[in-house]
Every structure is written in C-alpha cells, then in structure tokens.
Amino acid sequence: MKNPSLRFALKFLFSVLAAAFAAQITVTLTDDRFGESVRQVAPAYGVAIAIVMLGGYRYLPAVFIGTLIPAIFEKQAYLLILSMPFAVTVTSALAYRLMAILKVDYRMERIRDALLIIFVGFILSTILGAVVQTLFFLSSLAINFEGHFVPLLWTNWLSASVGAIIATPFLLTWANPSKFRLAANQGVEVCLWFVTLLLFGHITFQNWAPSDTLFYPMELAIFPIMAWSATRFGLRGASAGVLALALLAGWEIIRVLSGDGSGMSQSPANIWIFVGVVSITSICLAAVMMELRIREAQVLENETRLRAFTEALPDIAFVLTREGEIRDIFAASARIEANHRIVSAERAVGRNIADIFDSSVCRGFMDTIEKTIQVNEIRKHEYSLESADVGEHVFEARVTPMRRSAGGTSSVVWVAYDISERKLAETAIKDRDKILRATARANNNLLVTQDVGRAVEAAMREVGNALNVERAFIFEITDRTNEALQNFCIQHEWRLHENCPSFLGNPHYQDAPLEEFCPGWYQTLNEGGYMQIDSRRKDALSVDVLRHFNSRSMLVMPMWMEGELYGFFGVDHCSRSHDWSDGEIYAVRVLSTSLSGLLLIRGQEKQLRVAIESADAASSAKGEFLAMMSHEIRTPMNAIIGYTDLLGQADLSETQSEQVAIIKRSGRALLDLINNILDYSKIESRSLELDVEEFDIEQVVCESLESVLVMAQEKGIHVHYELEPNLQETYIGDAHRIRQVLTNLVNNGVKFTTRGEVSIHVKLESAEAAKNCAYDTLHFEVRDTGCGIAKDKFQLLFRAFSQVDSSTTRKYGGTGLGLIISKRLIERMQGQIWVDSELGSGSQFHFTIQLLRKEHEANTLAPFVKQTGTDDRLAGSFAEAYPLRILVCEDDKDNRRVIRELLEMLGYRPHVVESGEDALEQLKHRAYDTVLLDVRLPGLSGIELTRAIRSGAERIERCEQHIIAVTAFAMNEDRQSCLDAGMNDFIRKPVEIVELKDALRRAYHEFRA
C-alpha cells in the first residue's frame, strides 16, 4: 500500500480490535473470591505489550481504547472500568522502554533476549500494571487495604504476567515477516503433534475440576511434547503450542464456571501457573535451540570463509634479496616444493636462486627483482618449470618491494600461483577459436569461389593448417546400389607438403572396393557415425586401414547429399600419431557438411544451367518460329490486302464493295492476331524492351482514338478525350507502348458499346503519389457506355486467351490477348491497371504510370486533323503532288505486282526488280529518288545491300540514296536493325495505303531538302 497514512490507520484499527478481543477474554475469566472484577488470567496485557513493542508508543492509544471497550459494557464503577485500560497501558509502555534500554531483539533468537523479555518485559513490567489495577479496585470498592492488598495484588500480577507470557511470544514471533516453511513431511508431523498436545491437555485440565489438582502424571507428559515442538519448529511451534494449551485451559475453566462441571473450592491459579511454566520452558528451550542453530551456521560460514582464504593463499612465496638470496620461503604443499626443485623449505633458506633454478629461469627472476626495486612498485612475472611429477607447470608471480631496513639490503616478496590449468584452458580456447576462424574462412571460400576444385582445395587448406594435419581428402562412394560391392574413388585432396603420399593420380584409389579397404566403414558412416583411427591401436583392422592409406592417424566424417551417403571427408597425419580433440572433430564435421552442401549446390547449379539453356533455346526457337510464321503469313497477306485495296478503288457494285470490305476487315483481324501473339510472346519471354523518347501526350491520345474512328462512325458512337490543364505537354517515355495500351482499351470500348460514347481522360495524380520529384504520375481512364461487366467476372479479365463469357468471342470476336498484353505493358512501365464496371452501365478501365517530365513545350498536332490517318484513296494526283523516281526490289512475284499496281494507281511509274543484285545494278546506272527494298531477298539481302551502299563499297549514282524497308518481319527489333543498317524508313507487310503514302511523303520532303 503506497499511502502511509492509510496504512497506519488500518494497523491502528486492527490493534484496537486485537486489544478489545483480548480484553473480552480477560473479562470472561474471573476469580470468585473477589467478585467478578478480578481476573484469572489477563491476555490483554500480552496483546498490549506485543502491539507496543512492534509499533512503538504511537499505538498506546489503540491499546487503551481497545481494552476500554469491553469494560464499558460491564456496568461497574467508573474506577473499575478504567482500571484495566490504565494498567495495560502503563505496563506496555514500561515494557517497551525497558526492552529499548536493554537492546533486546524481539525475534528471541538468543537465550539472553528470551530471558530478558520473559522476566523483565513480562514478569517485572506487569507488577506496575498489577499495582495500578489493585489500587483502582480497592478504591472503587472502598475495601480496607490491610489484609486485602497483597492477595489482590498477587492475583492481578499473576493473571497479568501469565497472560503476557502466553500471548506476547506468539504475537512477536508470528508478526516476524520472515517466511515459515515446512519440509515435505512436516505437515503430517505438525498435525500429529497438535492432536497429541490437545489430547493430553484435555485429559489434564478436565480432571482438575473435581479434585482441584492437576492429573498426574499427564501434566508432566505435556513438557516433553512442548519441548519436542520447540526443538523441531522453534519459537513459532513453541508459541503456537502455548497459545493452544492456554485456550484449552480457559475453555475447561469456563465450562466448569458455567455449571457444566463440579464446583471449585479454590482459585484456578494453579492451572495458569502450570501454563506459564510450560510457556517459559518451551520459549527458553526454543531460544536455546535457535541460538545453537545460528552458531552452527556461523561456524559453517567461518569454515567456508577460511577455506576460501586458504585456497586464495599463494602456492609458494619467497622473500628474496636483490642478489637473489632466499631469506624466507613458504610452500603450500610438498608437490609445489618439488616443482621448484626444493627438497625442504627450511633447507632452502639462505641459498641463492642460482643454485636451484636453471640459468634462463634465474635470469628472469633477477630481472624482475631489479625492476621491482628500481621502480618501487608491484610487478608480475610468469615462468614455467619442469615438474617433478608430470610435465610442465606454469606459475604467475606478484613481486612486491620491501622497504629498506637500516643497515640491510633491499628485498622483495615473491608470491607465486600455479596457473598451469588456466594456461591449458586458455590454450584450448585459442586452439578452438583458431579452428572456428579457419572453418569460417573455409565456408567463405566455398561460397565465393566459383571453381569447385579451387573452392574445395582452399577450404581444406584452411582447416588443414588450423588443425595442423598433413592431408585432407574427399572420397566418393560409387555404385551405391549394393552395400557389399561398393567402390570408392578419390575426388579432392590437399597436402601440407610434397613428402605426404598423394591419392590423386594413384590408380590404387580409383574405384577401389570399399569393404576390402575399409571394413565396416559404410555401415558406420551410413548410420551417421565417424571414424577415428590411430596407429597406437594394436588391432589388426586399424593397422590394415592405416597401411592402405599410408597414414598414422585418421579422422573421417560422412558426406551426405539429398539424404544419401555421398562419400567421406577426412584428415590425417602421415608421420605421427595424434589424439583427436572434440574441437577438431567438430571442425571436421562442420567442414564435411559444408563441402557436401557445396557439391550438392554446384551439381544442382549445373543441372539448372542446362535446364535454363534448354528453356532459352526453346524460347528462342519459339520466337524464331513465331517470327518466321509472321513473315510467311504477312507475305501472302500483302497481296491479299493490296489487291483488296485495288479492288476497293474500282467501280464496284454495292454488293461487291461490301464483299471487298469484308475481305479487308478479315485481313486486318488476322494481322491484329499475329501482332498480339508476337507481343505476348515477347512479354512472356521477358525480352520486351521499352523505347524511351520524348513524345507529346495529346498526340498519343489522339492517335489511339484515330485507330477506332471508322468503326465508331459505323456504329454511331461518339469518341472524344479530355486532358487535365495542369499536365505537361511533353513527356519522356515509350509512346508506342502507351498508344498500344490505349488502342486496346478504346478498341474494346467501341467493340462492346452499341450506343453512347467512348472517351479517354488523363489527369495528374497528387504530388505525394510520385516517388520522385522528376516524375509525374499520370492517371489514364478509358470510359465506355457499353454492356458492362459483372463484378464476379473481373477475375477472368487480364488473363491470356480469356474473355468474360464464351459467347463474347462468338458475338464480338477477339483472342482475349488485348487486356493481358496491356497489363504486362503497364507493369513493365512500373504502373498499375484496374477496372470498375457494373453490368449494363458501362466500364471504366484505369491505369497509372510514371513519366519523366520534359521542361519545354513541344509542337502539338491538333486532334483529328491529321488526315493521313484515314486517307486510303488511290488517285494519280498523289504522284503529281509528290513526284518521285521509284525503284522496287521484291522477290515475291505476287507482292511485286501488288506494290507496282498500288504505285501506278498513285500515279507513279516504278522500276521493279526481283533480287538485290539486280537492284544494285540498276542503282549503278540510274538515279532514283527512293528505293522500296525488301529485307529478305535471295542472295544479296536488303540489309547487306544497304550496308554496301552506305559504306561506299559499291559505286552508285547516289550514295545518300533514300531507302524504305518493306518487310514481313514486323517486330520492333526488325525495324531497329533496318535503321541501324542505314535504311531511312520502314513499312510492314501487308502494305497499307496510308503507311505507303506517308512514307512516300517523307521521302519526297527529304529529297527536296
């Protein structure tokens, strides 16, 4: 409890209640000779003395109030009511003061304290209380003092002293905060003792009522019972037994006084005197036993201290002069004397240390003595001596200078301790640390060295040097299917020097029978054991094994791989025997495990490398196959699309025009399928690279919408876009991939919308969303008012070859690759894409990407004014606007005819050849404004022809000849390879009229420039 005032108030209240309870017991027991106001026994004195002794003078009011409470209800005279409170208060105050003067310990652990408390605190102090109580009693009853004072005083003093003797020791003992614990079987022992005490007490006190005498010899049996409790349980047992005996006596007296027993002819003082004597005897005996135990504990502690001091004494001590003369000597044992080559300490006095020790030891002694005397301070010196019993002993000496005496020489006190065991422990720790460091370095070599052989050799060298062995080796167990027919062969070896026999290159250790060379090894190693063999073992098996390996001592550990015994790793000595320590065994075991792991990992790495190479080859083959298929499909598609365009320019009927449009849409759908498959293949093979360049964000949005304008106009769908004003006009990123994603999304929007609109909205995310201040996070949203998507179908989106419903493919077509390609492209640009939609309410596709800002304005194409996007008319006026001399080089007959007719419809008269050699020949003799050159040509390819032209190796009319690549290889890397070879432009097959016209425009502007 943290509040001191509240704690004191509770203790004070408890003291009042305890004093009141004791006073009530006192009131209950009276003596008939003096009326009901004279008490037989007064435990109130004992409780009051205990309260004041434990709490001090501040608890005197609690004693007075508690004792007063029961007296108030007796309806007696005023002085009789106050007699007991005043008597108890002055008695407890006097007892407390006397105990303080005598410096008594209330724990009564000494017989002195017990006797002083009993005879001074209880017997002597209660005389004052008895006098006060007697005076109050006689004054109240107006009784003649003569003839009554002494008997009444005797009665009051007897009841007060006995009450104090009974109650106070119990309260003082049990109020002690030290814990009271019983041994395992003492609980039963206490119960038997208590039952026996109550039984004997009951028989003794019950007999007293008829005869007015105690029942002999039962009362005498109580003494040994109480003595036994005092001996076994100390003051707590003695005080508890006395209290129980007193309560039993009081209960018997009250029963007799209430009329249940025979009448009494005399005072029951004999009983209380008997209880008091038992109490004094028990308490004194308990105090004696307690003091004896304390003294025994002190003796034991002194013995322990003496033993510690004795063990701390030096093993040997000298008093040495500056010249090395021994003035005095002390040796702890004859063994220490023998270690110092001293036959007898008495005989060594007066001799010089040079006569006893070797010259090197003596020189160290003399140097230390001289330095100690010169600097006049304590110095240390460590020396070793060959022991007279076993080996070498190391001593550490503390050399202390002695003051110079008058007419004497300088001397020192040489105190030395045998530290041989400590040195051995330090050496063992150093060796262990050395081995652990070597093991760590070995493991590091295994991790960082790529070459397996070098890594294993470096690891074995580290541990071999640390263990001071001569060889380390790894043997692999082969043909593990049959335990009895297994062989073993050497795989790795390290040798300390060339004189050690080598296993490598020796056919003796290649596929040798394991059971013949090493009987029983396989079973031991396979069970997780290890082998240590030494030449000092005389058994024939060990001798044969060591002879096979040219060794004198070997330590071999098993090596495991994927739960099977791979082989064994071992170290050995070829020239000497050796006892392998626990540290060495642990180091070899650890390295064996590490080597096993390395060999397993490297083996798995090799398998993984082969698997990766196979996968890369398969992926490369798949890519080449797709590229080849794309080329082979695009080549005939060029003729199909080209002639479709030509037919579309002819004068056709309405049915024929519709049929031509169907052919063209189908061809475009096939081309879109090919493009999507190629893109998806590159994304999944992680070979897709982004082209980072400056672009106009509005232009990209417009171009993505232009691709769906025709289909939107046919369906009557409104298409528009909205850019947030705070957007930059120019950013740096992959505009082509952003356009591809937007095109996929708006194409889906138009496809699944029957009426309404499709729109693109671009806004700038908050600045906090950007990871770098140099970047802007753009949020693109493509909205449509189409059929919408149910929420439980969202998981089917963004999957390869997947659509929300199988009926979607039948109704709207498509491969299901558009969204997965868009998702992969956005993730490749470190962005996110998601969808919000409800069935019947349209869809909103969102994606966010980070783009690097460009801090200047760019020329922006106005939306939808670029008419070339839809200008697919074939008119002769085009050649008049952009006159060019054109050479066409195409090996495919149908494609040559299509391209020539397209150019003729535009008003040109192209010159057409079918090989690279023919084109080169034409260029040497005629000047052309531009060349439409196929890349894949028989013989001299388009790439080779371009490089020859640009390098100047071929003399042609115009070295800066404008060259346009026309190829069915439609990948971005194909385009880049053409541009890197020196071509000026790139058109994919099948040739679109729009793309062809744009390329011719660019060629004309470059030619004019």
Side-chain angles (χ1 to χ4, degrees), residues 172-236:
L172 291 179
T173 303
W174 288 92
N176 191 341
S178 62
K179 296 181 178 179
F180 177 64
R181 294 180 180 177
L182 295 175
N185 298 325
Q186 281 189 322
V188 177
E189 191 176 343
V190 169
C191 293
L192 292 175
W193 162 74
F194 195 70
V195 170
T196 304
L197 177 65
L198 293 181
L199 178 63
F200 276 76
H202 174 69
I203 296 173
T204 299
F205 297 139
Q206 187 181 33
N207 183 72
W208 171 80
S211 60
D212 290 341
T213 59
L214 294 174
F215 187 55
Y216 180 84
M218 298 300 291
E219 74 274 11
L220 298 181
I222 294 177
F223 283 93
I225 295 174
M226 292 298 298
W228 181 79
S229 68
T231 304
R232 291 288 292 165
F233 309 120
L235 286 170
R236 294 180 184 270

Side-chain angles (χ1 to χ4, degrees), residues 146-323:
E146 186 178 353
H148 293 88
F149 179 78
V150 174
L152 186 57
L153 175 63
W154 166 258
T155 302
N156 287 331
W157 172 75
L158 182 61
S159 65
S161 60
V162 173
I165 291 171
I166 293 172
T168 305
F170 178 81
L171 295 176
L172 291 179
T173 303
W174 288 92
N176 191 341
S178 62
K179 296 181 178 179
F180 177 64
R181 294 180 180 177
L182 295 175
N185 298 325
Q186 281 189 322
V188 177
E189 191 176 343
V190 169
C191 293
L192 292 175
W193 162 74
F194 195 70
V195 170
T196 304
L197 177 65
L198 293 181
L199 178 63
F200 276 76
H202 174 69
I203 296 173
T204 299
F205 297 139
Q206 187 181 33
N207 183 72
W208 171 80
S211 60
D212 290 341
T213 59
L214 294 174
F215 187 55
Y216 180 84
M218 298 300 291
E219 74 274 11
L220 298 181
I222 294 177
F223 283 93
I225 295 174
M226 292 298 298
W228 181 79
S229 68
T231 304
R232 291 288 292 165
F233 309 120
L235 286 170
R236 294 180 184 270
S239 60
V242 168
L243 182 64
L245 200 63
L247 292 175
L248 183 62
W251 180 75
E252 292 291 349
I253 292 174
I254 292 174
R255 189 175 62 84
V256 173
L257 294 178
S258 63
D260 294 340
S262 303
M264 292 187 297
S265 60
Q266 57 181 331
S267 172
N270 293 335
I271 287 184
W272 300 118
I273 293 173
F274 170 74
V275 174
V277 172
V278 171
S279 178
I280 293 172
T281 304
S282 303
I283 292 172
C284 290
L285 180 59
V288 170
M289 297 303 298
M290 183 66 69
E291 186 170 0
L292 288 176
R293 291 193 183 97
I294 292 175
R295 290 185 178 180
E296 288 177 358
Q298 290 176 347
V299 170
L300 180 60
E301 183 179 358
N302 291 336
E303 290 179 354
T304 304
R305 290 180 180 177
L306 180 60
R307 190 181 302 110
F309 281 124
T310 303
E311 292 175 354
L313 289 176
D315 294 301
I316 194 166
F318 300 95
V319 177
L320 302 172
T321 66
R322 193 167 195 165
E323 292 76 19

Side-chain angles (χ1 to χ4, degrees), residues 8 142 201 212 327-328 347 409 542 736 738 802 915 924 987 992:
F8 171 73
D212 290 341
R327 289 292 181 85
D328 199 1
R347 296 180 183 179
T409 58
S542 300
H736 171 68
I738 298 173
S802 173
S915 67
K924 288 180 179 180
I987 300 177
E992 298 281 351

Side-chain angles (χ1 to χ4, degrees), residues 666-916:
S666 300
R668 290 185 182 276
L670 181 58
L671 289 177
D672 290 340
L673 172 61
I674 295 170
N675 292 334
N676 284 339
I677 291 175
L678 290 176
D679 280 342
Y680 182 72
S681 175
K682 290 183 66 63
I683 291 173
E684 290 302 307
S685 63
R686 302 183 185 275
S687 60
L688 177 69
E689 295 183 0
L690 299 178
D691 295 329
V692 179
E693 58 185 8
E694 181 182 346
F695 69 93
D696 184 272
I697 187 66
E698 187 175 9
Q699 181 177 344
V700 170
V701 172
C702 293
E703 289 174 351
S704 64
L705 288 176
E706 287 172 356
S707 64
V708 298
L709 279 178
V710 174
M711 183 168 58
Q713 291 173 358
E714 292 176 353
K715 300 180 70 172
I717 298 172
H718 180 60
V719 176
H720 68 95
Y721 71 95
E722 181 181 348
L723 302 181
E724 200 173 62
N726 57 353
L727 286 172
Q728 297 276 333
E729 293 185 355
T730 305
Y731 286 97
I732 296 177
D734 194 332
H736 171 68
R737 296 304 177 183
I738 298 173
R739 184 187 305 109
Q740 183 177 355
V741 173
L742 289 173
T743 300
N744 283 337
L745 297 180
V746 297
N747 184 64
N748 283 345
V750 173
K751 181 191 297 184
F752 295 103
T753 301
T754 56
R755 63 176 182 272
E757 64 178 15
V758 175
S759 59
I760 299 177
H761 301 265
V762 187
K763 63 180 179 179
L764 188 66
E765 290 283 281
S766 61
E768 290 78 4
K771 297 180 181 178
N772 192 310
C773 60
Y775 288 83
D776 280 346
T777 301
L778 272 62
H779 181 175
F780 293 81
E781 180 183 2
V782 178
R783 304 175 186 172
D784 66 65
T785 58
C787 57
I789 306 169
K791 294 185 182 301
D792 58 348
K793 302 294 185 179
F794 283 4
Q795 71 273 12
L796 298 177
L797 299 173
F798 305 112
R799 290 186 183 178
F801 306 103
S802 173
Q803 292 190 343
V804 172
D805 192 345
S806 59
S807 61
T808 303
T809 305
R810 296 191 298 268
K811 182 176 181 180
Y812 298 102
T815 61
L817 288 175
L819 288 180
I820 185 61
I821 291 174
S822 300
K823 184 176 186 296
R824 294 287 189 266
L825 290 175
I826 294 300
E827 290 174 348
R828 182 70 176 82
M829 291 185 281
Q830 309 299 317
Q832 293 180 333
I833 185 170
W834 68 97
V835 62
D836 293 326
S837 181
E838 289 185 8
L839 197 61
S841 301
S843 303
Q844 301 85 42
F845 284 84
H846 306 260
F847 68 88
T848 58
I849 54 173
Q850 285 191 345
L851 296 174
L852 184 64
R853 291 196 299 269
K854 183 69 175 177
E855 302 298 340
H856 62 79
E857 294 185 0
N859 295 326
T860 305
L861 290 175
F864 309 127
V865 298
K866 184 181 174 184
Q867 297 301 324
T868 58
T870 57
D871 185 11
D872 57 355
R873 295 172 299 168
L874 292 173
S877 58
F878 185 83
E880 296 176 1
Y882 307 100
L884 292 170
R885 290 170 294 178
I886 300 175
L887 174 64
V888 177
C889 182
E890 171 62 57
D891 65 318
D892 185 81
K893 179 180 178 181
D894 294 333
N895 285 331
R896 284 200 306 271
R897 182 176 177 180
V898 168
I899 294 175
R900 184 184 63 191
E901 292 185 9
L902 287 175
L903 291 174
E904 290 176 350
M905 291 289 290
L906 290 174
Y908 295 104
R909 295 294 180 264
H911 192 164
V912 181
V913 296
E914 60 183 57
S915 67

Side-chain angles (χ1 to χ4, degrees), residues 576-616:
R576 60 186 174 90
S577 299
H578 180 73
D579 292 324
W580 301 100
S581 66
D582 292 339
E584 292 171 331
I585 294 173
Y586 175 77
V588 174
R589 187 187 298 277
V590 170
L591 185 58
S592 173
T593 303
S594 301
L595 290 170
S596 301
L598 171 72
L599 296 176
L600 176 62
I601 291 173
R602 294 300 167 84
Q604 292 177 342
E605 286 180 354
K606 184 177 180 180
Q607 295 176 1
L608 182 61
R609 192 179 302 111
V610 172
I612 291 174
E613 291 175 355
S614 299
D616 290 342

Side-chain angles (χ1 to χ4, degrees), residues 524-531 556-560 565-570 588-589 592-593 596:
T524 301
L525 297 176
N526 197 40
E527 293 174 354
Y530 62 91
M531 308 297 300
V556 175
M557 290 290 172
M559 297 179 65
W560 300 89
L565 184 64
Y566 164 79
F568 54 86
F569 166 66
V588 174
R589 187 187 298 277
S592 173
T593 303
S596 301

